Amino acid sequence: MTFKNERTFFEMSKAKKTELFHKKYDEAVEKVKKGFDTHYPNYVGGKKVFSSDGEYAVITPINKNQVIGYCQKGTVEDTRNAIAAAKEMFGKWSRTPYQKRVKIFQKAAKIMSAKKFELAALMTFDNGKNRYESIADVDEAIDFLNFYSYLMLKNRGFVNKMGKPFPNEDCTSVLKPYGVWAVISPFNFPLAITAGMSTGAMITGNTIVLKPASDTPLMALKFYEIMKEAGLPDGVMNLVVGSGSTVGEELISNPDIAGVVFTGSRPVGKRIYAKMTSDVVKPCITELGGKNPIIVTSKANLNKAIEGVARSAFGFDGQKCSACSRLIIAEDIKEKFMEGLLRWTKERVTVGDPTRKEIFMGPVINQKAYDDFAHYSEMAKRDGNVLLGGNRFETGELKDGFFVEPTIVDNLPPDHEIIRTELFLPIMAVITVKNLEEAVKVANSTEYGLTAGIFTESTKERDYFFDNIEAGVTYCNRTVGGSTGAMVNGQPFGGWKASSSTAKGAGGLYYLQQFMREQSQTIVK
Ligand code: NAP
Ligand code: MG
């Protein structure tokens, strides 16, 4: 029984198959374009459902005039029907032996792996991720399917013989599923997070109603089709595309929902948590935002730090919950570091059509994010010193998409909105400090606690950082992403403080237990 990460690009590069990687992705781009006129249904109890409110056109952020599919505007009634279908199936599914459930998810992982280039290409249109980021998203989804299968087997379905308090007592601890879970997912990892949360709930014996983000519903639909192909019985997974205010609100209000797993923004997460704990307290896993710092000390290797910071701040346009939005830099190396950072960013952080292999940054997700960028850039120019970027691509060949520049702003007041608030944009604030102690204090002076990084060659500094930093996912000297790029089974991904309600990481050892409740069973002999 083993688990291995998918790591497509890494493996193919190692095998000197980079050209093949690009060829497969490019071919997949042409192929998925042929499906842009697809009308996708919702799925309730295994049946296709077309909403009484009609459908909406899903566009790509690369070009707002380009439709990439049509999805249902799910209604309250659709949602209620989906919950009822999930409830009906719960008894049967929860009593299905875990080994049998696991087989379905392992098969789904294989199917997904065979379709990975198509999924990655469609994801680039769906949310604007470049090919490296989108294949990594698909890989992570495959990893979740395999890793949670592995955990179920390794833990023997979470049934454990306990001690014998009295000689005639035979005691067992059994973890059992709760019932119907609502799974509500964000736009930024439309396959990985959607598949990860759904798998967590279902593999442990719950049934679900999944609601993906309205901006990026296509990956959830593809995931549904894969689960169906893998043999998931009808009614275990129900999928209702629709708005947060209709489908989402019904999910978090309906008495037949036993638990909610949510990844998304803090305001929405807070509301869901309040709802789920207002009467009978129900399990509610919320994975929320971050205001993630990277500390670069005077003992850092500057080349490593420059790349690690730039990749973290500007990978997928700063739209990762783990993105670095606060660079905390030691004053005695600041000048040299900033010079290198600006050079690296100008040379390497190319902005453009993310289906092209040389592009680092595609568009931001939607009109609101595009407008937020203009708003915060103006604020940065007014209240700080913008060292790089600050503009949108409003003319030229990128004008029909939501393209913006990687942006670095220095000299903002310490309690400034840009320093405090999660913007979810490629805007990074620079904060100058005298020493490591001050750096960690600044790093921790946020309500959030998701990820954090440090660059230093000193073990003493490294140990001080790990000992004092308040964050769930922490890294020292990680060039591929100074605060980003957690891998399943390597870096369990969950936040502290306002970043999460449970602080147990996805892709880690304690994730699945959250979807189950313990029953102790005693037989007196
Ligand atoms: P979002 O705006 O909060 O939306 C997330 C999901 O919630 C969407 O499906 C949304 O539906 C739904 N929703 C909205 N209002 C709702 C309501 N009243 N009741 C129930 N559901 C509702 O987040 P996002 O913009 O998609 O994603 C970005 C955020 O996610 C960032 O804050 C980021 O930090 C966070 N995130 C955290 C992690 C983590 O692991 N900690 C990982 C990834 C992302 P609609 O799309 O229909 O509005
Ligand atoms: Mg949003």
Side-chain angles (χ1 to χ4, degrees):
M1 206 189 347
T2 53
F3 165 79
K4 192 169 173 289
N5 294 102
E6 187 81 0
R7 304 187 304 194
T8 300
F9 188 68
F10 177 85
E11 297 291 350
M12 290 185 80
S13 305
K14 208 171 74 180
K16 308 225 176 324
K17 289 185 178 163
T18 319
E19 283 316 306
L20 181 63
F21 172 89
H22 291 305
K23 185 169 170 272
K24 284 186 167 231
Y25 176 88
D26 291 335
E27 283 169 4
V29 165
E30 292 314 310
K31 188 169 173 199
V32 301
K33 279 182 184 169
K34 298 194 178 100
F36 283 175
D37 54 357
T38 306
H39 295 256
Y40 296 90
N42 281 332
Y43 290 98
V44 174
K47 295 199 173 62
K48 292 181 178 177
V49 173
F50 294 89
S51 165
S52 58
D53 277 3
E55 54 182 24
Y56 69 102
V58 181
I59 55 132
T60 172
I62 303 170
N63 177 347
K64 57 189 170 214
N65 305 316
Q66 174 69 58
V67 173
I68 60 169
Y70 299 86
C71 285
Q72 301 304 308
K73 287 190 202 163
T75 61
V76 169
E77 202 193 333
D78 295 334
T79 314
R80 286 184 184 154
N81 291 338
I83 295 168
K87 193 178 174 190
E88 196 184 318
M89 190 57 193
F90 174 67
K92 194 165 172 211
W93 181 244
S94 63
R95 288 182 185 87
T96 302
Y98 74 89
Q99 297 92 331
K100 206 170 158 192
R101 293 200 297 260
V102 161
K103 283 215 169 75
I104 297 171
F105 291 90
Q106 288 173 327
K107 185 162 178 206
K110 288 209 178 76
I111 297 170
M112 200 183 276
S113 185
K115 295 183 177 182
K116 65 176 132 185
F117 284 97
E118 254 172 68
L119 291 165
L122 185 58
M123 193 187 302
T124 298
F125 290 105
D126 199 29
N127 80 353
K129 269 187 189 183
N130 71 27
R131 62 182 63 192
Y132 315 98
E133 303 273 0
S134 48
I135 203 83
D137 193 320
V138 179
D139 285 351
E140 191 177 351
I142 297 166
D143 284 354
F144 280 132
L145 289 163
N146 282 323
F147 184 64
Y148 294 148
S149 298
Y150 163 81
L151 282 183
M152 285 303 288
L153 298 175
K154 185 174 170 230
N155 289 288
R156 301 174 315 279
F158 295 93
V159 176
N160 284 295
K161 278 272 169 242
M162 302 302 289
K164 272 191 179 296
F166 296 100
N168 62 340
E169 284 185 354
D170 188 0
C171 308
T172 309
S173 156
V174 182
L175 289 191
K176 290 185 162 184
Y178 284 92
V180 182
W181 279 65
V183 180
I184 304 176
S185 59
F187 77 87
N188 67 337
F189 284 82
L191 191 57
I193 291 180
T194 303
M197 296 195 296
S198 303
T199 301
M202 292 189 289
I203 205 166
T204 49
N206 302 280
T207 55
I208 69 166
V209 179
L210 167 64
K211 189 208 102 58
S214 299
D215 284 324
T216 58
L218 300 189
M219 287 295 119
L221 284 148
K222 295 291 166 193
F223 177 56
Y224 181 91
E225 290 166 10
I226 290 168
M227 289 313 304
K228 175 114 182 158
E229 194 181 331
L232 189 73
D234 288 346
V236 175
M237 176 178 184
N238 303 275
L239 172 57
V240 186
V241 176
S243 76
S245 52
T246 29
V247 178
E249 282 294 326
E250 178 58 26
L251 284 175
I252 62 176
S253 313
N254 193 296
D256 284 336
I257 287 292
V260 176
V261 56
F262 168 83
T263 304
S265 64
R266 190 173 170 210
V268 177
K270 261 173 87 168
R271 173 167 173 74
I272 295 176
Y273 196 84
K275 275 263 187 185
M276 294 301 288
T277 52
S278 63
D279 182 16
V280 178
V281 175
K282 295 179 181 178
C284 181
I285 307 169
T286 59
E287 298 296 344
L288 311 176
K291 194 68 197 176
N292 311 299
I294 295 181
I295 297 170
V296 180
T297 82
S298 54
K299 300 200 171 68
N301 172 315
L302 288 193
N303 288 332
K304 281 190 210 167
I306 286 164
E307 185 170 344
V309 167
R311 287 192 180 281
S312 252
F314 304 126
F316 190 37
D317 294 55
Q319 299 176 116
K320 297 181 191 176
C321 42
S322 54
C324 171
S325 51
R326 295 182 299 147
L327 164 64
I328 303 174
I329 180 90
E331 69 181 356
D332 44 359
I333 50 136
K334 180 176 178 185
E335 205 181 315
K336 213 163 153 216
F337 178 84
M338 291 312 294
E339 211 184 280
L341 179 68
L342 293 183
R343 195 179 329 114
W344 200 100
T345 309
K346 280 181 205 157
E347 277 171 16
R348 302 284 296 275
V349 183
T350 46
V351 181
D353 176 351
T355 62
R356 282 167 42 200
K357 75 173 171 195
E358 69 278 13
I359 293 300
F360 190 100
M361 257 178 49
V364 294
I365 187 65
N366 55 23
Q367 185 72 45
K368 180 178 179 300
Y370 192 59
D371 293 342
D372 282 353
F373 180 87
H375 171 75
Y376 287 110
S377 290
E378 281 318 304
M379 199 186 263
K381 287 171 193 164
R382 188 188 69 209
D383 301 336
N385 180 15
V386 174
L387 304 177
L388 187 73
N391 301 297
R392 307 192 294 187
F393 291 81
E394 290 173 283
T395 56
E397 62 177 22
L398 299 180
K399 71 175 182 354
D400 292 326
F402 305 120
F403 293 91
V404 304
E405 290 176 341
T407 299
I408 301 175
V409 53
D410 195 7
N411 285 330
L412 288 166
D415 61 346
H416 193 273
E417 191 178 338
I418 293 177
I419 289 183
R420 279 187 293 109
T421 321
E422 181 188 56
L423 308 182
F424 230 51
L425 293 167
I427 300 178
M428 182 176 69
V430 183
I431 305 166
T432 312
V433 292
K434 289 200 168 47
N435 54 42
L436 179 62
E437 211 175 306
E438 187 189 350
V440 171
K441 202 176 268 173
V442 169
N444 288 340
S445 66
T446 165
E447 294 176 294
Y448 292 106
L450 190 50
T451 72
I454 188 169
F455 284 88
T456 176
E457 298 299 311
S458 150
T459 48
K460 207 170 144 213
E461 287 194 338
R462 181 194 68 197
D463 293 348
Y464 181 87
F465 169 78
F466 283 134
D467 203 23
N468 291 283
I469 194 74
E470 297 166 0
V473 191
T474 60
Y475 301 96
C476 178
N477 293 337
R478 198 152 186 266
T479 305
V480 293
S483 65
T484 53
M487 297 288 288
V488 170
N489 188 40
Q491 290 95 10
F493 196 84
W496 285 15
K497 294 153 75 176
S499 295
S500 164
S501 63
T502 69
K504 303 278 192 299
L509 298 175
Y510 315 112
Y511 187 71
L512 290 184
Q513 291 89 324
Q514 304 181 104
F515 294 94
M516 294 174 283
R517 45 191 174 181
E518 187 172 24
Q519 182 172 66
S520 84
Q521 301 177 344
T522 299
I523 300 168
V524 179
K525 293 260 166 75

